[in-house]
Amino acid sequence: MRTVRQVARAAGISVRTLHHYDAVGLLKPGHVGANGYRYYGKEELLRLQQILFYREIGLPLAEIAAVLDDPAFDPLAALREHRAALEGRIGHYRTLICTIDRTIASLEKDEDMEDNDYYAGIAPETRDRWQREAEEFWGKDAVAAAAAKARSFSKEQVAAIQAEMESIRADFQRLFREGADPASDAVQAVTDRHYRWVSHSWTPDAAEFRGLGRYYVENPEFRGTYDDDKLPGCPEFIAAAMAVYADRSL
Amino acid sequence: MRTVRQVARAAGISVRTLHHYDAVGLLKPGHVGANGYRYYGKEELLRLQQILFYREIGLPLAEIAAVLDDPAFDPLAALREHRAALEGRIGHYRTLICTIDRTIASLEKDEDMEDNDYYAGIAPETRDRWQREAEEFWGKDAVAAAAAKARSFSKEQVAAIQAEMESIRADFQRLFREGADPASDAVQAVTDRHYRWVSHSWTPDAAEFRGLGRYYVENPEFRGTYDDDKLPGCPEFIAAAMAVYADRSL
DNA sequence: ATCGGGGATGACGCAGCGTGAGGGTCAAGC
DNA sequence: GCTTGACCCTCACGCTGCGTCATCCCCGAT
């Protein structure tokens, strides 16, 4: 039986937060003394842990209550929905940043224009120039084909592709947690889906596919995406599967 | 002289919003009739346009008032600051999504699973096995070093790395929109930051860095990330910059 | 005179607490 | 038994940006 302060300190939250959770019925103390003091037991502490977890990922308190109290409530669905909402917000912020950048650019241009019109009219030719540079490096056809192919995807197609990648990732993680062998049929089946996914825009040969696996291992962004915190070694697992796949099937 | 409704309809906002802006002193009507009616003139409409612009990019009303009313206030600085804040939020949401994915994965695997035995399903021998496989492909030292390095990042460091990537991406996009030359100093400076960013875990040589650029061009996920819808050709621009950088500096 | 379409002014609501205000309670030392 | 200091409690307003009534005034047309 701990007092508010003890619980608050242990959980790294404020006393007011506990009061609030009590007020909204999210977390009630196990016992209330005759003096009105709140006392929390182990059960409440466990519930608090869960509350804090869901709060950390940005779920509103009402949703948290629903998840924890309604046994019929599907936490998986809630999480997925919330995830989608977060992605939407990210996209929103990106467009905002885009707008800001444009404004900054125009403001800067205006100021400079007062002195001289240095930037005027540069855009079209310059754009052509770097495009030619790109073509020199990889060949005209390759650049044109890749760009055309990538641009040919509709919004829905892009969404579907991203969803497929999510699914592939989840499958890899599940298999990894289950301790599957990277060379096993199950893992190789997912790897095949992954290869096809990559092939949406690019058809890597064996060496390139292995190289992509290595990139997954060595790039922190990918390591983050593949949950390195809780699943240490998952990127290596995927890379190993990709290497096996490259050897066998490419 | 327009009434609230006319202004609201023209600007696509609600009457209540105009009332609110009046109440907080953000936008006062040009004239108020003897009957208390609000009347807005051209000047107010122009101001409203600016307000709505800043609001659209997510600036709080108080900041908007500061920007518009204080002539000494630097709108450029405000925009940049706000931009940085948005980038921070994006990074935050990214980590949240990461956590959610982990949870989803764990729930999918086994609902009864306690937090503590997240990895209980992975037999130590199995882990060793695929780790050995990975080591065979890339060499023991490389795998160990990469894994150790990736794991050595703290939460804050990972967040900082993601924020830096956001910033780099935004800079690339801005330069692209401005029609900058991929070989120009400004673009190459950003590319250098990008190279260093990649180097957090991996030190690519010239060919590998160019290859990474090509990957950006050809992978739809990256094309999506770099806003291909709104900025067609931006991935090619970045890839060209990377190729120039690889030639010159690596 | 009446009626319909505005217009105006409160005031509550929402999310999640922060931050006092004002006032009991508890354990300990004197 | 009393004081002290550390804690506890219950209001209750504040912040963001309006949405949403509720209640009442006003103006032009019929």
Side-chain angles (χ1 to χ4, degrees):
Chain A
M1 284 303 145
R2 270 149 274 214
T3 69
V4 273
R5 172 142 316 212
Q6 292 169 326
V7 173
R9 234 197 310 250
I13 60 179
S14 72
V15 173
R16 177 70 177 94
T17 300
L18 286 173
H19 284 178
H20 184 61
Y21 289 171
D22 187 7
V24 300
L26 182 56
L27 177 68
K28 291 191 173 297
H31 293 293
V32 180
N35 49 18
Y37 282 27
R38 279 168 256 253
Y39 295 102
Y40 297 85
K42 276 191 184 170
E43 207 172 325
E44 287 77 33
L45 286 183
L46 280 176
R47 186 179 168 91
L48 180 57
Q49 295 305 326
Q50 299 186 300
I51 290 171
L52 292 182
F53 164 76
Y54 285 115
R55 189 185 72 160
E56 199 179 321
I57 64 174
L59 218 60
L61 298 188
E63 302 266 318
I64 298 177
V67 172
L68 296 183
D69 292 335
D70 183 355
F73 202 96
D74 183 5
L76 231 66
L79 285 175
R80 268 197 264 266
E81 206 171 311
H82 185 59
R83 209 195 100 100
L86 289 179
E87 272 179 354
R89 275 187 240 177
I90 287 182
H92 180 60
Y93 284 142
R94 273 227 252 275
T95 62
L96 292 189
I97 286 180
C98 226
T99 308
I100 292 176
D101 282 344
R102 264 201 297 271
T103 309
I104 288 178
S106 76
L107 283 178
E108 279 174 344
K109 211 177 287 186
D110 266 342
E111 285 177 2
D112 290 347
M113 296 269 273
E114 285 173 10
D115 297 340
N116 55 29
D117 41 12
Y118 182 67
Y119 294 93
I122 257 185
E125 311 95 48
T126 311
R127 193 169 289 206
D128 289 348
R129 182 151 28 112
W130 60 251
Q131 184 147 16
R132 272 200 306 280
E133 291 194 42
E135 287 167 1
E136 277 170 33
F137 281 112
W138 302 300
K140 197 165 189 163
D141 294 345
V143 169
K149 196 167 182 183
R151 257 196 288 281
S152 72
F153 292 115
S154 72
K155 251 188 180 172
E156 294 77 30
Q157 281 175 309
V158 169
I161 289 169
Q162 289 180 346
E164 166 70 357
M165 188 59 222
E166 281 302 323
S167 161
I168 290 169
R169 182 209 327 251
D171 285 343
F172 267 134
Q173 292 174 341
R174 179 174 45 77
L175 290 165
F176 170 66
R177 272 196 315 275
E178 289 168 0
D181 183 342
S184 68
D185 289 349
V187 175
Q188 286 299 302
V190 177
T191 311
D192 182 55
R193 284 169 60 207
H194 183 209
Y195 179 78
R196 280 174 218 255
W197 183 85
V198 171
S199 302
H200 277 307
S201 66
W202 176 37
T203 309
D205 62 22
E208 287 169 335
F209 199 54
R210 264 199 298 271
L212 183 57
R214 178 167 184 171
Y215 182 75
Y216 286 178
V217 170
E218 293 172 337
N219 186 302
E221 191 179 38
F222 272 98
R223 291 199 77 91
T225 310
Y226 282 92
D227 299 355
D228 195 39
D229 276 6
K230 293 258 170 91
L231 296 175
C234 190
E236 280 87 353
F237 167 78
I238 296 172
M242 290 168 75
V244 171
Y245 184 85
D247 261 20
R248 285 194 196 156
S249 311
L250 297 181
Chain B
M1 284 301 143
R2 270 148 276 214
T3 69
V4 273
R5 174 141 316 210
Q6 292 168 327
V7 174
R9 235 197 308 250
I13 59 177
S14 72
V15 173
R16 176 71 177 92
T17 300
L18 286 173
H19 283 177
H20 184 62
Y21 290 171
D22 187 6
V24 300
L26 182 55
L27 177 68
K28 291 192 172 295
H31 292 294
V32 180
N35 49 18
Y37 281 26
R38 280 167 253 253
Y39 295 104
Y40 297 84
K42 275 188 186 171
E43 208 171 325
E44 287 76 32
L45 287 183
L46 280 175
R47 186 180 168 91
L48 179 57
Q49 294 307 323
Q50 299 186 298
I51 291 172
L52 293 182
F53 165 74
Y54 285 117
R55 188 185 71 159
E56 199 179 321
I57 64 174
L59 217 60
L61 297 189
E63 302 266 318
I64 298 177
V67 172
L68 295 183
D69 292 334
D70 184 354
F73 204 95
D74 183 5
L76 232 67
L79 285 176
R80 271 196 261 265
E81 203 172 313
H82 185 58
R83 215 191 84 104
L86 289 179
E87 273 172 8
R89 276 187 239 176
I90 287 181
H92 179 59
Y93 284 142
R94 278 246 247 267
T95 61
L96 291 189
I97 286 181
C98 230
T99 307
I100 292 176
D101 282 345
R102 269 201 299 270
T103 311
I104 288 178
S106 75
L107 284 177
E108 271 176 345
K109 190 206 162 196
D110 190 348
E111 293 195 356
D112 308 326
M113 192 169 54
E114 301 280 329
D115 280 5
N116 302 342
D117 16 282
Y118 257 88
Y119 330 104
I122 309 172
E125 320 92 47
T126 314
R127 189 178 292 208
D128 291 347
R129 182 155 25 111
W130 58 253
Q131 183 147 17
R132 269 202 307 280
E133 291 195 42
E135 286 167 0
E136 278 172 32
F137 281 110
W138 302 299
K140 197 163 189 163
D141 294 344
V143 169
K149 198 167 181 183
R151 257 195 287 281
S152 73
F153 293 115
S154 72
K155 248 187 184 176
E156 294 77 28
Q157 281 174 312
V158 168
I161 289 170
Q162 289 181 346
E164 166 70 356
M165 190 58 223
E166 281 300 328
S167 164
I168 290 169
R169 167 180 16 221
D171 283 343
F172 268 135
Q173 292 174 342
R174 179 174 46 78
L175 290 165
F176 170 67
R177 269 197 317 276
E178 290 169 0
D181 183 342
S184 69
D185 289 348
V187 175
Q188 286 299 303
V190 178
T191 311
D192 182 54
R193 284 169 60 206
H194 183 210
Y195 179 77
R196 280 172 218 253
W197 183 84
V198 172
S199 301
H200 278 308
S201 67
W202 177 37
T203 307
D205 61 22
E208 287 169 336
F209 199 54
R210 264 199 300 273
L212 183 57
R214 178 167 184 166
Y215 182 75
Y216 285 178
V217 170
E218 293 172 334
N219 187 301
E221 192 178 37
F222 273 97
R223 291 199 76 91
T225 309
Y226 282 92
D227 294 0
D228 197 38
D229 279 4
K230 301 241 172 107
L231 299 173
C234 189
E236 281 87 354
F237 167 78
I238 296 171
M242 290 168 74
V244 171
Y245 184 85
D247 262 21
R248 284 196 195 154
S249 312
L250 299 181

